[in-house]
Amino acid sequence: MYSVEGDKFVECDRKTLDINYRVKEVAKINIGGNDENWDINFGEFQAGMQRTVSLMARSNIPYHFKIYSAYHGELNLEPPIRNQKWSIPYKLTIDGNAIDLSDISSKMIAASSTPINGHRHSIVISIGDVNYRRSGTYKDVINIYIVPNYIY
């Protein structure tokens, strides 16, 4: 509110209106452009074969990935044969960073928040030695979680 004193306006009263809105943290991923689980089929194995899959992350806060392998970085014969272990080693990289899946603890890959259309990460799976392996289907299950890094 103002009053007039001569040729000047003088402030008599002031109120402040604060407008606040909290935006919730969002961290989402999808693999290969879809929100479902993704299967990678190599067909008939050959050592050194590779497959690449896109992992799209969308987050409005810095985040990291937690990665778990059911068989610790090996493809295991499915169904298993009693008292026999048949496996094929493989390597997994995300954006060129090798991920050691051989122990049971999760692996973390840190990243910053993304632009509104997200950030594409490249997952490359490379098959190891397949010589003298029993015929059949080999499988591993990898779980990838996106986890916000809370900063407050």
Side-chain angles (χ1 to χ4, degrees), residues 6-99:
D7 60 350
K8 295 182 181 178
F9 288 98
V10 178
E11 184 175 336
C12 299
D13 192 14
R14 176 185 291 210
K15 301 290 185 240
T16 302
L17 173 63
D18 289 330
I19 300 173
N20 295 296
Y21 180 77
R22 185 170 186 292
V23 176
K24 291 176 74 172
E25 299 85 6
V26 175
K28 294 183 176 188
I29 57 174
N30 65 46
I31 297 175
N34 116 24
D35 288 331
E36 304 298 319
N37 295 325
W38 191 260
D39 292 331
I40 301 172
N41 187 340
F42 277 85
E44 191 171 321
F45 282 144
Q46 293 178 9
M49 288 179 79
Q50 290 187 340
R51 294 288 185 271
T52 302
V53 173
S54 291
L55 173 70
M56 179 61 79
R58 288 183 181 81
S59 178
N60 61 358
I61 188 171
Y63 62 93
H64 63 274
F65 294 121
K66 284 191 174 187
I67 304 162
Y68 299 90
S69 164
Y71 298 125
H72 316 297
E74 292 184 335
L75 299 163
N76 283 354
L77 182 63
E78 291 281 329
I81 298 173
R82 189 174 165 181
N83 298 324
Q84 296 182 23
K85 181 176 183 333
W86 291 95
S87 63
I88 296 173
Y90 70 92
K91 295 182 192 237
L92 182 135
T93 63
I94 296 181
D95 296 334
N97 299 304
I99 309 299

